[in-house]
Amino acid sequence: MENAIKEVDVAIIGNGPSAITLSYMLSGYTPYYHPTDPPEDDLLHLRLANQDYKCVPITEMNLRNLSDGLEGRTSNPVALVLDQLCHPYADTGYPKLSSQLRWVKEEKRAINHIVIGRNSRPGGVWQKVQGDLKTLSRSSWMQLPDLPFTQYLKEKKGTGDIIASGDRADVCQVTRYYEEYVKEKALSSNFLNSCLVTSVEKVRMSPQIINEDTGEMEGDAVENIWEVSIKRLESSTDGFPQSFRVRAKNIVLATGTSDIPNVLGVPGEDLKFIRHGVSKVSAALHHINNETRCNPVLVIGAGLSAADAIITARKNNCNIVHVFRETPCGNPAQMLKSLPRAIYPEYVMMYELMCGDVTVDWYKPYPQYAVKAFIDKNRVRLESLQGRSEIIDVSLALVQIGSNADLSFMPSQGTNLGVVPGMKIEVKHNVVDVDPFTSESVIEKGLYAMGPLIGDNFVRFLKGGAMAITQHIQMKNGVINM
């Protein structure tokens, strides 16, 4: 049973919102244009109206033509089409309008696929984020196709109401929504959770063709197949052994970019009082050593994850020491700087604390400082850009300086797939190089990527990558003809 093999058309690696959305579309759920309100873009409306949109789904339309001239907060052209149809006037302050799409389950369009994720439940990184934090995006932008987030909250008892200003949601609500979405849309049979992909390789297979007249095997045709080796992280009753393989004609990388937290690369970074990444914050705060609890928590970093770590630490009544390299007031790229107070009061407060505009007794900033070394007995050596050194005592050190995707299972760890070949995949500097209208790798045919791996960092825009992949694979399988 260790060599058991499952064969599918598509293997999706990752079980977060990207993978869930793609699984929904590959299961045969098909979008039709259904205008109920004035269109945001008249030209897009005319392009759709010129086709028999009541009978022809979006997946059978020319996505390049539909996206021509559209503008928005993503560079993904297909995501712009889906965003305008799913979230009309989202960025204009116009009153909330309903989706302009009608989704229909059509079994004839379904593609055999499987979703492989290391998390025990669907949701990806959302299963690891502190549940009492608020989402950065509005709640409606967190939803997946054909299940409005507000409708879900009303129908499910015990989920609570959205109380955040600006219609933001609790992370725990979003996490539960993604789990329930898989069940509501009957996608669970496609998901293999708590499974670690250990390797992916392309193998050459000779299809076994039988001559109907002679009954003999013949044919020299060879096709490339992706073989995915998988190891279970937990026992299961779904019939698969502890280790097995999946063979697929197409593979989709939907891992996100949160698996490997970035490190500082300084001496002592492996000491026990140091934690890296967002998933370790809550547990670490609950297990601070009693002998050092009187000392402050050190947070390193100047982005949203660092701000979230500080907010969570303060909820645990911890004092904070905050180290960051730049002066936020003089950094135009500082994201906290641009957030409106009415919607993001906690982040605006953090920005004011970092700039020194507001002072409190529980927070001490160290702008233009860097950690030079971690030392035994929970001590940290800091150094300013001017060369001034200082050693501080801390109870815990939280390194929050971003993260990257774990593509160690890919040949060459995926370094051949980026816009800059030979460089590791990074969300800021080197995304996977794909055709924008198919989301297929320009290097490896039959390999697709979506979500943060191609620069779509917000759930709101994930539907574009899923649509491009679905259309392209349906065309290859002869489900649609264009």
Side-chain angles (χ1 to χ4, degrees):
M1 288 294 289
E2 292 294 309
N3 294 318
I5 296 176
K6 180 177 178 64
E7 295 186 354
V8 293
D9 284 312
V10 184
I12 305 168
I13 301 178
N15 64 354
S18 294
I20 297 171
T21 304
L22 180 56
S23 178
Y24 174 78
M25 295 187 188
L26 290 178
S27 296
Y29 288 96
T30 307
Y32 290 82
Y33 183 45
H34 184 64
T36 57
D37 294 297
E40 179 177 358
D41 188 282
D42 291 332
L43 187 56
L44 175 59
H45 172 73
L46 287 174
R47 289 169 180 162
L48 291 164
N50 284 337
Q51 306 186 57
D52 188 7
Y53 62 80
K54 292 184 179 180
C55 299
V56 178
I58 303 294
T59 47
E60 291 192 13
M61 297 182 185
N62 187 316
L63 298 177
R64 184 185 298 270
N65 176 264
L66 291 179
S67 66
D68 187 30
L70 296 184
E71 297 180 351
R73 295 188 179 184
T74 175
S75 59
N76 184 330
V78 184
L80 288 174
V81 174
L82 270 292
D83 188 56
Q84 289 210 5
L85 296 176
C86 293
H87 305 290
Y89 297 94
D91 298 320
T92 63
Y94 199 87
K96 297 176 185 176
L97 299 177
S98 59
S99 171
Q100 307 290 291
L101 293 179
R102 175 174 58 92
W103 295 87
V104 180
K105 180 69 179 291
E106 298 179 351
E107 294 292 348
K108 66 180 181 180
R109 300 182 187 276
I111 302 292
N112 183 24
H113 68 280
I114 196 166
V115 180
I116 309 159
R118 68 171 64 188
N119 294 300
S120 60
R121 294 168 294 175
V125 70
W126 291 95
Q127 295 288 354
K128 301 178 181 179
V129 180
Q130 181 73 13
D132 58 356
L133 293 172
K134 302 294 182 184
T135 61
L136 183 65
S137 298
R138 296 177 182 271
S139 61
S140 61
W141 297 351
M142 305 304 298
Q143 67 196 26
L144 305 182
D146 200 32
L147 183 59
F149 190 80
T150 52
Q151 173 187 322
Y152 162 79
L153 288 179
K154 291 177 182 178
E155 293 178 352
K156 297 292 180 180
K157 294 181 179 180
T159 56
D161 295 323
I162 297 177
I163 58 175
S165 60
D167 196 28
R168 293 161 64 200
D170 293 334
V171 167
C172 62
Q173 293 173 325
V174 175
T175 301
R176 195 176 297 115
Y177 168 83
Y178 293 145
E179 289 183 50
E180 292 295 327
Y181 184 92
V182 171
K183 298 175 183 177
E184 289 269 345
K185 301 302 180 183
L187 306 177
S188 298
S189 61
N190 301 322
F191 279 70
L192 288 176
N193 302 312
S194 298
C195 287
L196 178 68
V197 173
T198 57
S199 70
V200 172
E201 59 180 340
K202 185 181 287 185
V203 297
R204 294 172 64 83
M205 304 289 293
S206 297
Q208 296 182 343
I209 303 173
I210 300 177
N211 186 303
E212 294 182 357
D213 296 326
T214 65
E216 297 180 354
M217 306 296 298
E218 61 179 30
D220 298 325
V222 175
E223 61 179 338
N224 291 321
I225 296 291
W226 295 99
E227 187 167 278
V228 184
S229 297
I230 299 167
K231 179 181 180 181
R232 283 203 174 280
L233 301 177
E234 298 177 0
S235 59
S236 177
T237 58
D238 59 14
F240 286 95
Q242 194 66 24
S243 298
F244 59 98
R245 288 174 289 167
V246 169
R247 284 180 179 161
K249 296 177 182 178
N250 307 282
I251 188 170
V252 181
L253 301 179
T255 61
T257 55
S258 301
D259 287 328
I260 304 179
N262 292 332
V263 299
L264 296 168
V266 299
E269 200 165 356
D270 58 348
L271 291 172
K272 291 183 178 180
F273 68 94
I274 301 150
R275 299 291 185 275
H276 298 82
V278 296
S279 64
K280 304 291 181 66
V281 171
S282 182
L285 289 169
H286 283 92
H287 294 88
I288 294 178
N289 191 313
N290 287 330
E291 295 180 2
T292 60
R293 187 172 292 276
C294 60
N295 295 329
V297 171
L298 169 64
V299 177
I300 303 153
L304 289 172
S305 60
D308 285 341
I310 292 171
I311 292 168
T312 302
R314 189 54 196 159
K315 288 179 179 178
N316 284 267
N317 297 315
C318 298
N319 291 336
I320 313 296
V321 172
H322 189 191
V323 172
F324 44 98
R325 286 182 174 275
E326 299 179 351
T327 301
C329 302
N331 180 11
Q334 170 55 258
M335 188 172 185
L336 298 175
K337 183 178 183 178
S338 61
L339 298 176
R341 183 184 299 275
I343 302 177
Y344 304 99
E346 74 276 36
Y347 292 132
V348 173
M349 173 71 169
M350 278 307 314
Y351 177 72
E352 292 173 343
L353 288 170
M354 291 169 67
C355 291
D357 296 337
V358 174
T359 57
V360 291
D361 57 4
W362 54 264
Y363 174 87
K364 183 176 182 179
Y366 278 83
Q368 295 186 309
Y369 269 77
V371 172
K372 303 305 292 184
F374 295 100
I375 312 170
D376 286 333
K377 298 181 180 180
N378 290 52
R379 293 179 298 165
V380 184
R381 178 179 291 114
L382 307 178
E383 185 175 294
S384 72
L385 296 184
Q386 293 76 32
R388 188 184 308 113
S389 293
E390 183 174 344
I391 294 179
I392 61 174
D393 295 307
V394 302
S395 59
L396 179 70
L398 301 174
V399 181
Q400 304 293 308
I401 55 173
S403 59
N404 282 301
D406 180 4
L407 297 180
S408 58
F409 53 84
M410 293 296 297
S412 303
Q413 299 190 358
T415 55
N416 63 315
L417 301 175
V419 174
V420 183
M423 178 180 172
K424 70 179 181 179
I425 300 299
E426 292 185 356
V427 64
K428 290 184 178 180
H429 306 294
N430 191 37
V431 296
V432 177
D433 194 5
V434 298
D435 182 308
F437 297 100
T438 66
S439 219
E440 184 179 36
S441 167
V442 301
I443 302 297
E444 291 282 4
K445 298 305 177 185
L447 185 146
Y448 301 81
M450 62 183 301
L453 288 174
I454 63 170
D456 283 336
N457 298 312
F458 292 96
V459 174
R460 170 182 169 185
F461 299 119
L462 299 180
K463 292 180 281 293
M467 174 68 70
I469 294 170
T470 298
Q471 183 190 70
H472 196 238
I473 292 177
Q474 286 181 341
M475 289 173 61
K476 290 200 300 185
N477 282 29
V479 175
I480 59 177
N481 295 305
M482 294 180 62

